[in-house]
Amino acid sequence: MNFNIEKLKKKIIYRSNYRGTKEMDNLLGAFTDQYLNKLSKKDLLEMEKLLEIDDNNLYNFYNGLPTDIDIEVNNVNQLFQNFKYKNKK
C-alpha cells in the first residue's frame, strides 16, 4: 500500500481547523500548526485518531476533566494535553 504523508497532513490540517466549534478550531489549529511537521508517520496516524474524538470529550481531555470515552496514552495525546494554547487576537 502506498502511503501518502502529504495527503494525510492536508487531511489533519483541514479536520483540525473545521470542527464545528470555534474554540476547538482555534485550539486544534494552533496545536497542528506547532507540531504537524515535527511528527513521525506513526504520530500523524495517532493525530488522525485524536481528531476523530468529539469536541466535548476532546475539550475535557485537554483540560484534564473526565471523558465519556477512554483516550489512549500515546505521544500525540500527551503533546496535546500539555499544549499551551495562546489565543491570537
Side-chain angles (χ1 to χ4, degrees):
M1 182 168 113
N2 189 7
F3 183 79
N4 187 332
I5 201 159
E6 291 307 314
K7 186 175 179 180
L8 178 58
K9 285 182 179 183
K10 287 179 184 179
K11 180 180 177 182
I12 289 170
I13 290 168
Y14 181 83
R15 291 186 68 205
S16 62
N17 284 290
Y18 299 99
R19 303 264 320 162
T21 62
K22 190 68 171 168
E23 294 82 4
M24 289 307 292
D25 291 351
N26 292 339
L27 174 61
L28 285 167
F31 176 73
T32 300
D33 286 346
Q34 182 168 336
Y35 288 106
L36 186 68
N37 291 317
K38 299 174 185 174
L39 298 176
S40 68
K41 177 181 171 181
K42 179 181 180 232
D43 290 339
L44 289 170
L45 293 170
E46 289 174 354
M47 188 158 181
E48 184 180 33
K49 283 191 225 172
L50 177 75
L51 294 172
E52 292 173 3
I53 299 170
D54 66 276
D55 284 353
N56 189 51
N57 278 310
L58 205 51
Y59 177 84
N60 287 348
F61 175 69
Y62 176 73
N63 288 293
L65 301 171
T67 60
D68 297 333
I69 59 172
D70 290 329
I71 298 176
E72 102 180 65
V73 176
N74 62 43
N75 184 47
V76 170
N77 293 351
Q78 289 178 328
L79 285 172
F80 177 67
Q81 203 167 33
N82 294 315
F83 177 65
K84 303 298 182 211
Y85 174 67
K86 294 179 184 121
N87 191 2
K88 298 177 190 173
K89 287 192 176 187

